[in-house]
Amino acid sequence: DRPVELTVTEILEDLTGRLRQQIKAELELELRELEDQQHFLTLEQIFIENRVYKAIETVKTAEGVKKAVYKGMEPYREWFVREMVDDDVERLLRIPIRRISLYDIEKHREQLDDIVRAIKEASRKLRQLTKTTIAYLEDLLARYGGEYPRRTEITSFELVSKKEVALENLKLAYDPESGFFGW
């Protein structure tokens, strides 16, 4: 965060650390989003398969509807991914009747299984962050390496004589006052 002179190794270490942090942040975000999807799909499954929505048919007030949903979902709390909140209840109440009547249990369970697999994969990648970072870089090389070939060549170093270098740097000069001619 300030101007410094760094070696190539220090620059690579800094950039690698930044890349690790970025990949970690992306994986944590993906994990949170997947857990939110799993949570809502689980609530939806309980709400529809166990016909919790039937309890709200006789209730007249909005507050009563919320209480009925909470009460109807209470026996299934052990299946929740996290605690149910008012936003979850509102989202459940916005499910159209048509979607409830066309609900496909097997398709829904497959969707939940896919999300659980994705959560396990994201968790595994987070636990093995170094391997994930290496795999990310290897993937970049595999995809784009051919489009950006190396432009420099590494050749062998030849031994250079100090005398030859010193002679190359000498300047020939003439001093008119003293009449000196040399280097």
Side-chain angles (χ1 to χ4, degrees):
D1 297 328
R2 64 193 184 317
V4 292
E5 286 186 20
L6 299 172
T7 64
V8 173
T9 304
E10 291 170 334
I11 291 171
L12 285 174
E13 286 173 355
D14 182 57
L15 292 177
T16 304
R18 289 182 191 197
L19 179 62
R20 279 177 55 98
Q21 287 302 100
Q22 184 177 2
I23 290 173
K24 181 180 178 184
E26 288 176 7
L27 286 172
E28 288 171 346
L29 176 67
E30 178 184 353
L31 195 58
R32 279 194 305 274
E33 288 174 351
L34 287 169
E35 286 172 348
D36 285 346
Q37 285 179 357
Q38 180 190 18
H39 175 68
F40 185 71
L41 286 176
T42 303
L43 291 179
E44 186 179 273
Q45 178 182 12
I46 294 167
F47 187 74
I48 295 173
E49 286 182 15
N50 297 306
R51 300 184 187 277
V52 174
Y53 59 88
K54 292 279 187 185
I56 63 173
E57 291 175 350
T58 58
V59 181
K60 304 280 188 231
T61 65
E63 191 61 37
V65 169
K66 277 187 184 179
K67 286 180 182 176
V69 171
Y70 274 115
K71 186 177 179 182
M73 298 292 275
E74 186 65 33
Y76 310 102
R77 284 184 75 201
E78 67 211 31
W79 295 353
F80 293 1
V81 175
R82 58 175 157 66
E83 278 301 312
M84 192 167 72
V85 294
D86 287 343
D87 288 341
D88 296 328
V89 173
E90 290 296 325
R91 195 167 167 189
L92 287 172
L93 293 173
R94 278 188 255 130
I95 298 174
I97 296 296
R98 181 177 183 152
R99 189 161 145 215
I100 291 174
S101 63
L102 297 175
Y103 185 76
D104 184 358
I105 294 173
E106 288 304 313
K107 183 179 176 186
H108 194 79
R109 288 190 179 152
E110 286 175 16
Q111 196 176 12
L112 256 173
D113 290 342
D114 290 344
I115 289 175
V116 169
R117 269 188 245 109
I119 288 173
K120 286 180 182 176
E121 179 66 17
S123 297
R124 183 191 63 78
K125 285 180 179 180
L126 262 175
R127 283 191 309 274
Q128 301 175 345
L129 193 56
T130 301
K131 287 183 181 178
T132 303
T133 305
I134 292 169
Y136 173 79
L137 291 172
E138 287 174 345
D139 180 54
L140 282 179
L141 280 173
R143 278 194 286 170
Y144 303 112
E147 296 176 28
Y148 301 98
R150 184 180 182 124
R151 292 188 279 177
T152 58
E153 291 182 19
I154 299 175
T155 58
S156 62
F157 292 98
E158 297 176 15
L159 292 175
V160 179
S161 168
K162 291 179 187 176
K163 287 183 181 180
E164 289 178 21
V165 172
L167 286 174
E168 293 278 332
N169 288 332
L170 294 177
K171 289 185 180 179
L172 195 58
Y174 172 71
D175 184 9
E177 290 179 14
S178 65
F180 177 76
F181 182 76
W183 50 70

mmCIF file of all heavy atoms in Angstrom, residues 1-39:
data_model
loop_
_atom_site.group_PDB
_atom_site.id
_atom_site.type_symbol
_atom_site.label_atom_id
_atom_site.label_comp_id
_atom_site.label_asym_id
_atom_site.label_seq_id
_atom_site.Cartn_x
_atom_site.Cartn_y
_atom_site.Cartn_z
ATOM 1 N N ASP A 1 0.799 -1.204 0.000
ATOM 2 C CA ASP A 1 0.000 0.000 0.000
ATOM 3 C C ASP A 1 0.849 1.279 0.000
ATOM 4 O O ASP A 1 0.366 2.327 0.381
ATOM 5 C CB ASP A 1 -0.945 0.011 1.209
ATOM 6 C CG ASP A 1 -1.931 -1.140 1.134
ATOM 7 O OD1 ASP A 1 -2.304 -1.535 0.011
ATOM 8 O OD2 ASP A 1 -2.321 -1.658 2.187
ATOM 9 N N ARG A 2 2.076 1.158 -0.367
ATOM 10 C CA ARG A 2 2.967 2.314 -0.486
ATOM 11 C C ARG A 2 4.069 1.933 -1.461
ATOM 12 O O ARG A 2 4.325 0.744 -1.676
ATOM 13 C CB ARG A 2 3.523 2.726 0.873
ATOM 14 C CG ARG A 2 4.406 1.684 1.510
ATOM 15 C CD ARG A 2 4.682 1.988 2.970
ATOM 16 N NE ARG A 2 5.574 1.142 3.672
ATOM 17 C CZ ARG A 2 5.670 -0.175 3.654
ATOM 18 N NH1 ARG A 2 4.926 -0.862 2.851
ATOM 19 N NH2 ARG A 2 6.513 -0.829 4.390
ATOM 20 N N PRO A 3 4.759 2.900 -2.024
ATOM 21 C CA PRO A 3 5.824 2.564 -2.973
ATOM 22 C C PRO A 3 6.976 1.835 -2.279
ATOM 23 O O PRO A 3 7.477 2.289 -1.252
ATOM 24 C CB PRO A 3 6.294 3.924 -3.488
ATOM 25 C CG PRO A 3 5.216 4.879 -3.138
ATOM 26 C CD PRO A 3 4.528 4.336 -1.952
ATOM 27 N N VAL A 4 7.354 0.702 -2.807
ATOM 28 C CA VAL A 4 8.478 -0.070 -2.278
ATOM 29 C C VAL A 4 9.189 -0.755 -3.430
ATOM 30 O O VAL A 4 8.618 -0.938 -4.505
ATOM 31 C CB VAL A 4 8.036 -1.147 -1.260
ATOM 32 C CG1 VAL A 4 7.506 -0.534 0.000
ATOM 33 C CG2 VAL A 4 7.015 -2.076 -1.872
ATOM 34 N N GLU A 5 10.421 -1.129 -3.183
ATOM 35 C CA GLU A 5 11.154 -1.939 -4.149
ATOM 36 C C GLU A 5 11.019 -3.386 -3.713
ATOM 37 O O GLU A 5 11.272 -3.723 -2.556
ATOM 38 C CB GLU A 5 12.628 -1.540 -4.178
ATOM 39 C CG GLU A 5 12.872 -0.219 -4.867
ATOM 40 C CD GLU A 5 14.349 0.099 -5.010
ATOM 41 O OE1 GLU A 5 15.181 -0.834 -4.937
ATOM 42 O OE2 GLU A 5 14.666 1.275 -5.180
ATOM 43 N N LEU A 6 10.595 -4.223 -4.640
ATOM 44 C CA LEU A 6 10.383 -5.634 -4.329
ATOM 45 C C LEU A 6 11.167 -6.503 -5.297
ATOM 46 O O LEU A 6 11.376 -6.135 -6.445
ATOM 47 C CB LEU A 6 8.898 -5.995 -4.442
ATOM 48 C CG LEU A 6 7.929 -5.270 -3.521
ATOM 49 C CD1 LEU A 6 6.501 -5.613 -3.904
ATOM 50 C CD2 LEU A 6 8.183 -5.646 -2.078
ATOM 51 N N THR A 7 11.518 -7.674 -4.815
ATOM 52 C CA THR A 7 12.137 -8.648 -5.704
ATOM 53 C C THR A 7 11.026 -9.372 -6.450
ATOM 54 O O THR A 7 9.852 -9.276 -6.087
ATOM 55 C CB THR A 7 12.970 -9.671 -4.902
ATOM 56 O OG1 THR A 7 12.085 -10.403 -4.051
ATOM 57 C CG2 THR A 7 14.048 -8.988 -4.075
ATOM 58 N N VAL A 8 11.391 -10.118 -7.455
ATOM 59 C CA VAL A 8 10.408 -10.874 -8.228
ATOM 60 C C VAL A 8 9.691 -11.863 -7.318
ATOM 61 O O VAL A 8 8.469 -12.040 -7.397
ATOM 62 C CB VAL A 8 11.094 -11.599 -9.415
ATOM 63 C CG1 VAL A 8 10.121 -12.516 -10.115
ATOM 64 C CG2 VAL A 8 11.659 -10.584 -10.393
ATOM 65 N N THR A 9 10.423 -12.488 -6.428
ATOM 66 C CA THR A 9 9.828 -13.459 -5.503
ATOM 67 C C THR A 9 8.797 -12.780 -4.601
ATOM 68 O O THR A 9 7.702 -13.320 -4.391
ATOM 69 C CB THR A 9 10.925 -14.112 -4.644
ATOM 70 O OG1 THR A 9 11.897 -14.685 -5.507
ATOM 71 C CG2 THR A 9 10.352 -15.169 -3.734
ATOM 72 N N GLU A 10 9.110 -11.613 -4.082
ATOM 73 C CA GLU A 10 8.174 -10.897 -3.212
ATOM 74 C C GLU A 10 6.917 -10.478 -3.973
ATOM 75 O O GLU A 10 5.807 -10.537 -3.439
ATOM 76 C CB GLU A 10 8.860 -9.677 -2.603
ATOM 77 C CG GLU A 10 9.932 -10.021 -1.596
ATOM 78 C CD GLU A 10 10.764 -8.821 -1.178
ATOM 79 O OE1 GLU A 10 10.874 -7.852 -1.968
ATOM 80 O OE2 GLU A 10 11.307 -8.870 -0.067
ATOM 81 N N ILE A 11 7.092 -10.057 -5.214
ATOM 82 C CA ILE A 11 5.934 -9.683 -6.038
ATOM 83 C C ILE A 11 5.041 -10.895 -6.271
ATOM 84 O O ILE A 11 3.817 -10.823 -6.129
ATOM 85 C CB ILE A 11 6.391 -9.075 -7.386
ATOM 86 C CG1 ILE A 11 7.043 -7.711 -7.152
ATOM 87 C CG2 ILE A 11 5.221 -8.941 -8.351
ATOM 88 C CD1 ILE A 11 7.709 -7.129 -8.372
ATOM 89 N N LEU A 12 5.644 -12.030 -6.615
ATOM 90 C CA LEU A 12 4.866 -13.255 -6.839
ATOM 91 C C LEU A 12 4.139 -13.685 -5.571
ATOM 92 O O LEU A 12 2.976 -14.107 -5.625
ATOM 93 C CB LEU A 12 5.764 -14.375 -7.348
ATOM 94 C CG LEU A 12 6.191 -14.265 -8.803
ATOM 95 C CD1 LEU A 12 7.189 -15.361 -9.151
ATOM 96 C CD2 LEU A 12 4.994 -14.344 -9.729
ATOM 97 N N GLU A 13 4.799 -13.586 -4.420
ATOM 98 C CA GLU A 13 4.151 -13.955 -3.163
ATOM 99 C C GLU A 13 2.962 -13.052 -2.875
ATOM 100 O O GLU A 13 1.898 -13.520 -2.461
ATOM 101 C CB GLU A 13 5.153 -13.882 -2.009
ATOM 102 C CG GLU A 13 6.156 -15.010 -2.001
ATOM 103 C CD GLU A 13 7.248 -14.826 -0.948
ATOM 104 O OE1 GLU A 13 7.280 -13.767 -0.278
ATOM 105 O OE2 GLU A 13 8.072 -15.746 -0.812
ATOM 106 N N ASP A 14 3.113 -11.755 -3.108
ATOM 107 C CA ASP A 14 2.025 -10.811 -2.867
ATOM 108 C C ASP A 14 0.845 -11.082 -3.802
ATOM 109 O O ASP A 14 -0.307 -11.137 -3.367
ATOM 110 C CB ASP A 14 2.528 -9.373 -3.042
ATOM 111 C CG ASP A 14 1.436 -8.358 -2.739
ATOM 112 O OD1 ASP A 14 0.896 -8.397 -1.619
ATOM 113 O OD2 ASP A 14 1.123 -7.547 -3.631
ATOM 114 N N LEU A 15 1.138 -11.250 -5.082
ATOM 115 C CA LEU A 15 0.062 -11.493 -6.052
ATOM 116 C C LEU A 15 -0.635 -12.823 -5.804
ATOM 117 O O LEU A 15 -1.855 -12.936 -5.957
ATOM 118 C CB LEU A 15 0.617 -11.423 -7.476
ATOM 119 C CG LEU A 15 1.081 -10.033 -7.930
ATOM 120 C CD1 LEU A 15 1.681 -10.100 -9.321
ATOM 121 C CD2 LEU A 15 -0.057 -9.038 -7.891
ATOM 122 N N THR A 16 0.133 -13.832 -5.410
ATOM 123 C CA THR A 16 -0.461 -15.131 -5.095
ATOM 124 C C THR A 16 -1.369 -15.016 -3.880
ATOM 125 O O THR A 16 -2.467 -15.591 -3.858
ATOM 126 C CB THR A 16 0.642 -16.181 -4.840
ATOM 127 O OG1 THR A 16 1.487 -16.236 -5.981
ATOM 128 C CG2 THR A 16 0.055 -17.538 -4.581
ATOM 129 N N GLY A 17 -0.935 -14.270 -2.869
ATOM 130 C CA GLY A 17 -1.772 -14.054 -1.691
ATOM 131 C C GLY A 17 -3.072 -13.346 -2.036
ATOM 132 O O GLY A 17 -4.141 -13.709 -1.534
ATOM 133 N N ARG A 18 -2.981 -12.351 -2.906
ATOM 134 C CA ARG A 18 -4.191 -11.635 -3.334
ATOM 135 C C ARG A 18 -5.132 -12.557 -4.108
ATOM 136 O O ARG A 18 -6.350 -12.509 -3.929
ATOM 137 C CB ARG A 18 -3.826 -10.441 -4.197
ATOM 138 C CG ARG A 18 -3.180 -9.323 -3.441
ATOM 139 C CD ARG A 18 -2.893 -8.158 -4.355
ATOM 140 N NE ARG A 18 -2.047 -7.179 -3.715
ATOM 141 C CZ ARG A 18 -1.911 -5.947 -4.139
ATOM 142 N NH1 ARG A 18 -2.561 -5.546 -5.215
ATOM 143 N NH2 ARG A 18 -1.124 -5.106 -3.506
ATOM 144 N N LEU A 19 -4.562 -13.387 -4.986
ATOM 145 C CA LEU A 19 -5.385 -14.319 -5.764
ATOM 146 C C LEU A 19 -6.076 -15.318 -4.833
ATOM 147 O O LEU A 19 -7.268 -15.614 -5.000
ATOM 148 C CB LEU A 19 -4.531 -15.054 -6.796
ATOM 149 C CG LEU A 19 -5.254 -16.077 -7.670
ATOM 150 C CD1 LEU A 19 -6.326 -15.398 -8.515
ATOM 151 C CD2 LEU A 19 -4.273 -16.807 -8.570
ATOM 152 N N ARG A 20 -5.353 -15.822 -3.847
ATOM 153 C CA ARG A 20 -5.946 -16.753 -2.871
ATOM 154 C C ARG A 20 -7.114 -16.089 -2.148
ATOM 155 O O ARG A 20 -8.167 -16.701 -1.969
ATOM 156 C CB ARG A 20 -4.910 -17.204 -1.852
ATOM 157 C CG ARG A 20 -3.997 -18.303 -2.306
ATOM 158 C CD ARG A 20 -2.954 -18.616 -1.237
ATOM 159 N NE ARG A 20 -3.545 -18.928 0.046
ATOM 160 C CZ ARG A 20 -3.749 -20.149 0.502
ATOM 161 N NH1 ARG A 20 -3.392 -21.180 -0.229
ATOM 162 N NH2 ARG A 20 -4.283 -20.343 1.680
ATOM 163 N N GLN A 21 -6.931 -14.831 -1.724
ATOM 164 C CA GLN A 21 -7.990 -14.119 -1.014
ATOM 165 C C GLN A 21 -9.215 -13.931 -1.910
ATOM 166 O O GLN A 21 -10.346 -14.059 -1.460
ATOM 167 C CB GLN A 21 -7.488 -12.765 -0.514
ATOM 168 C CG GLN A 21 -6.532 -12.859 0.654
ATOM 169 C CD GLN A 21 -7.143 -13.560 1.838
ATOM 170 O OE1 GLN A 21 -6.897 -14.731 2.063
ATOM 171 N NE2 GLN A 21 -7.958 -12.866 2.587
ATOM 172 N N GLN A 22 -8.979 -13.616 -3.172
ATOM 173 C CA GLN A 22 -10.093 -13.404 -4.105
ATOM 174 C C GLN A 22 -10.851 -14.714 -4.346
ATOM 175 O O GLN A 22 -12.080 -14.735 -4.332
ATOM 176 C CB GLN A 22 -9.566 -12.840 -5.418
ATOM 177 C CG GLN A 22 -10.666 -12.494 -6.396
ATOM 178 C CD GLN A 22 -10.137 -11.856 -7.671
ATOM 179 O OE1 GLN A 22 -8.939 -11.696 -7.839
ATOM 180 N NE2 GLN A 22 -11.035 -11.504 -8.548
ATOM 181 N N ILE A 23 -10.122 -15.790 -4.552
ATOM 182 C CA ILE A 23 -10.767 -17.090 -4.764
ATOM 183 C C ILE A 23 -11.531 -17.503 -3.513
ATOM 184 O O ILE A 23 -12.656 -18.015 -3.593
ATOM 185 C CB ILE A 23 -9.725 -18.151 -5.188
ATOM 186 C CG1 ILE A 23 -9.222 -17.849 -6.599
ATOM 187 C CG2 ILE A 23 -10.298 -19.551 -5.103
ATOM 188 C CD1 ILE A 23 -8.090 -18.719 -7.069
ATOM 189 N N LYS A 24 -10.947 -17.264 -2.342
ATOM 190 C CA LYS A 24 -11.616 -17.600 -1.081
ATOM 191 C C LYS A 24 -12.918 -16.815 -0.942
ATOM 192 O O LYS A 24 -13.958 -17.377 -0.579
ATOM 193 C CB LYS A 24 -10.684 -17.306 0.096
ATOM 194 C CG LYS A 24 -11.273 -17.645 1.437
ATOM 195 C CD LYS A 24 -10.304 -17.332 2.554
ATOM 196 C CE LYS A 24 -10.933 -17.640 3.902
ATOM 197 N NZ LYS A 24 -10.083 -17.276 5.015
ATOM 198 N N ALA A 25 -12.877 -15.514 -1.245
ATOM 199 C CA ALA A 25 -14.082 -14.677 -1.141
ATOM 200 C C ALA A 25 -15.166 -15.164 -2.109
ATOM 201 O O ALA A 25 -16.351 -15.225 -1.749
ATOM 202 C CB ALA A 25 -13.732 -13.220 -1.417
ATOM 203 N N GLU A 26 -14.770 -15.524 -3.334
ATOM 204 C CA GLU A 26 -15.737 -16.022 -4.313
ATOM 205 C C GLU A 26 -16.362 -17.333 -3.852
ATOM 206 O O GLU A 26 -17.569 -17.543 -3.995
ATOM 207 C CB GLU A 26 -15.064 -16.204 -5.674
ATOM 208 C CG GLU A 26 -14.752 -14.908 -6.371
ATOM 209 C CD GLU A 26 -14.002 -15.100 -7.683
ATOM 210 O OE1 GLU A 26 -13.838 -16.258 -8.124
ATOM 211 O OE2 GLU A 26 -13.581 -14.092 -8.263
ATOM 212 N N LEU A 27 -15.542 -18.232 -3.306
ATOM 213 C CA LEU A 27 -16.062 -19.514 -2.830
ATOM 214 C C LEU A 27 -16.990 -19.339 -1.629
ATOM 215 O O LEU A 27 -18.016 -20.021 -1.530
ATOM 216 C CB LEU A 27 -14.909 -20.454 -2.470
ATOM 217 C CG LEU A 27 -14.155 -21.059 -3.653
ATOM 218 C CD1 LEU A 27 -12.918 -21.800 -3.175
ATOM 219 C CD2 LEU A 27 -15.047 -21.988 -4.450
ATOM 220 N N GLU A 28 -16.652 -18.422 -0.724
ATOM 221 C CA GLU A 28 -17.516 -18.168 0.428
ATOM 222 C C GLU A 28 -18.849 -17.586 -0.010
ATOM 223 O O GLU A 28 -19.904 -17.965 0.522
ATOM 224 C CB GLU A 28 -16.823 -17.235 1.422
ATOM 225 C CG GLU A 28 -15.696 -17.910 2.179
ATOM 226 C CD GLU A 28 -14.859 -16.958 3.009
ATOM 227 O OE1 GLU A 28 -14.966 -15.714 2.802
ATOM 228 O OE2 GLU A 28 -14.100 -17.447 3.855
ATOM 229 N N LEU A 29 -18.829 -16.689 -0.998
ATOM 230 C CA LEU A 29 -20.066 -16.132 -1.535
ATOM 231 C C LEU A 29 -20.908 -17.225 -2.198
ATOM 232 O O LEU A 29 -22.119 -17.322 -1.971
ATOM 233 C CB LEU A 29 -19.765 -15.011 -2.539
ATOM 234 C CG LEU A 29 -20.967 -14.410 -3.242
ATOM 235 C CD1 LEU A 29 -21.848 -13.658 -2.250
ATOM 236 C CD2 LEU A 29 -20.525 -13.485 -4.362
ATOM 237 N N GLU A 30 -20.272 -18.045 -2.997
ATOM 238 C CA GLU A 30 -20.975 -19.150 -3.663
ATOM 239 C C GLU A 30 -21.593 -20.086 -2.629
ATOM 240 O O GLU A 30 -22.741 -20.523 -2.778
ATOM 241 C CB GLU A 30 -19.997 -19.920 -4.552
ATOM 242 C CG GLU A 30 -20.615 -21.109 -5.254
ATOM 243 C CD GLU A 30 -19.587 -21.916 -6.054
ATOM 244 O OE1 GLU A 30 -18.434 -21.489 -6.176
ATOM 245 O OE2 GLU A 30 -19.978 -22.995 -6.544
ATOM 246 N N LEU A 31 -20.858 -20.374 -1.569
ATOM 247 C CA LEU A 31 -21.340 -21.261 -0.513
ATOM 248 C C LEU A 31 -22.566 -20.663 0.187
ATOM 249 O O LEU A 31 -23.558 -21.377 0.420
ATOM 250 C CB LEU A 31 -20.221 -21.518 0.488
ATOM 251 C CG LEU A 31 -20.382 -22.664 1.454
ATOM 252 C CD1 LEU A 31 -20.575 -23.980 0.709
ATOM 253 C CD2 LEU A 31 -19.173 -22.764 2.366
ATOM 254 N N ARG A 32 -22.518 -19.363 0.493
ATOM 255 C CA ARG A 32 -23.674 -18.713 1.129
ATOM 256 C C ARG A 32 -24.901 -18.757 0.217
ATOM 257 O O ARG A 32 -26.008 -19.041 0.671
ATOM 258 C CB ARG A 32 -23.346 -17.263 1.478
ATOM 259 C CG ARG A 32 -22.573 -17.090 2.757
ATOM 260 C CD ARG A 32 -22.568 -15.640 3.213
ATOM 261 N NE ARG A 32 -22.086 -14.702 2.225
ATOM 262 C CZ ARG A 32 -20.808 -14.389 2.027
ATOM 263 N NH1 ARG A 32 -19.882 -14.937 2.769
ATOM 264 N NH2 ARG A 32 -20.468 -13.511 1.107
ATOM 265 N N GLU A 33 -24.698 -18.495 -1.073
ATOM 266 C CA GLU A 33 -25.830 -18.511 -2.010
ATOM 267 C C GLU A 33 -26.416 -19.911 -2.138
ATOM 268 O O GLU A 33 -27.637 -20.086 -2.178
ATOM 269 C CB GLU A 33 -25.381 -17.994 -3.372
ATOM 270 C CG GLU A 33 -25.114 -16.500 -3.394
ATOM 271 C CD GLU A 33 -24.526 -16.015 -4.710
ATOM 272 O OE1 GLU A 33 -24.164 -16.859 -5.564
ATOM 273 O OE2 GLU A 33 -24.406 -14.789 -4.878
ATOM 274 N N LEU A 34 -25.550 -20.925 -2.189
ATOM 275 C CA LEU A 34 -26.033 -22.300 -2.278
ATOM 276 C C LEU A 34 -26.779 -22.708 -1.018
ATOM 277 O O LEU A 34 -27.814 -23.393 -1.087
ATOM 278 C CB LEU A 34 -24.862 -23.261 -2.534
ATOM 279 C CG LEU A 34 -24.267 -23.233 -3.933
ATOM 280 C CD1 LEU A 34 -22.963 -24.017 -3.973
ATOM 281 C CD2 LEU A 34 -25.251 -23.770 -4.953
ATOM 282 N N GLU A 35 -26.290 -22.289 0.149
ATOM 283 C CA GLU A 35 -26.978 -22.615 1.394
ATOM 284 C C GLU A 35 -28.335 -21.921 1.470
ATOM 285 O O GLU A 35 -29.305 -22.495 1.974
ATOM 286 C CB GLU A 35 -26.111 -22.238 2.596
ATOM 287 C CG GLU A 35 -24.957 -23.197 2.801
ATOM 288 C CD GLU A 35 -23.967 -22.747 3.860
ATOM 289 O OE1 GLU A 35 -24.036 -21.569 4.298
ATOM 290 O OE2 GLU A 35 -23.125 -23.571 4.239
ATOM 291 N N ASP A 36 -28.423 -20.688 0.950
ATOM 292 C CA ASP A 36 -29.721 -20.004 0.897
ATOM 293 C C ASP A 36 -30.694 -20.749 -0.013
ATOM 294 O O ASP A 36 -31.878 -20.903 0.319
ATOM 295 C CB ASP A 36 -29.554 -18.561 0.410
ATOM 296 C CG ASP A 36 -28.965 -17.644 1.463
ATOM 297 O OD1 ASP A 36 -28.933 -18.036 2.651
ATOM 298 O OD2 ASP A 36 -28.527 -16.528 1.093
ATOM 299 N N GLN A 37 -30.212 -21.210 -1.162
ATOM 300 C CA GLN A 37 -31.062 -21.982 -2.075
ATOM 301 C C GLN A 37 -31.522 -23.274 -1.409
ATOM 302 O O GLN A 37 -32.699 -23.637 -1.494
ATOM 303 C CB GLN A 37 -30.304 -22.321 -3.358
ATOM 304 C CG GLN A 37 -30.138 -21.186 -4.312
ATOM 305 C CD GLN A 37 -29.360 -21.609 -5.558
ATOM 306 O OE1 GLN A 37 -28.898 -22.738 -5.663
ATOM 307 N NE2 GLN A 37 -29.208 -20.690 -6.481
ATOM 308 N N GLN A 38 -30.582 -23.955 -0.752
ATOM 309 C CA GLN A 38 -30.933 -25.209 -0.076
ATOM 310 C C GLN A 38 -31.981 -24.943 1.006
ATOM 311 O O GLN A 38 -32.943 -25.700 1.148
ATOM 312 C CB GLN A 38 -29.692 -25.853 0.532
ATOM 313 C CG GLN A 38 -29.986 -27.149 1.251
ATOM 314 C CD GLN A 38 -28.814 -27.662 2.056
ATOM 315 O OE1 GLN A 38 -27.885 -26.917 2.357
ATOM 316 N NE2 GLN A 38 -28.860 -28.928 2.408
ATOM 317 N N HIS A 39 -31.793 -23.863 1.753
ATOM 318 C CA HIS A 39 -32.729 -23.529 2.828
ATOM 319 C C HIS A 39 -34.131 -23.301 2.269
ATOM 320 O O HIS A 39 -35.104 -23.875 2.763
ATOM 321 C CB HIS A 39 -32.232 -22.279 3.567
ATOM 322 C CG HIS A 39 -33.176 -21.781 4.613
ATOM 323 N ND1 HIS A 39 -33.429 -22.478 5.771
ATOM 324 C CD2 HIS A 39 -33.936 -20.649 4.686
ATOM 325 C CE1 HIS A 39 -34.300 -21.801 6.510
ATOM 326 N NE2 HIS A 39 -34.613 -20.686 5.866
#
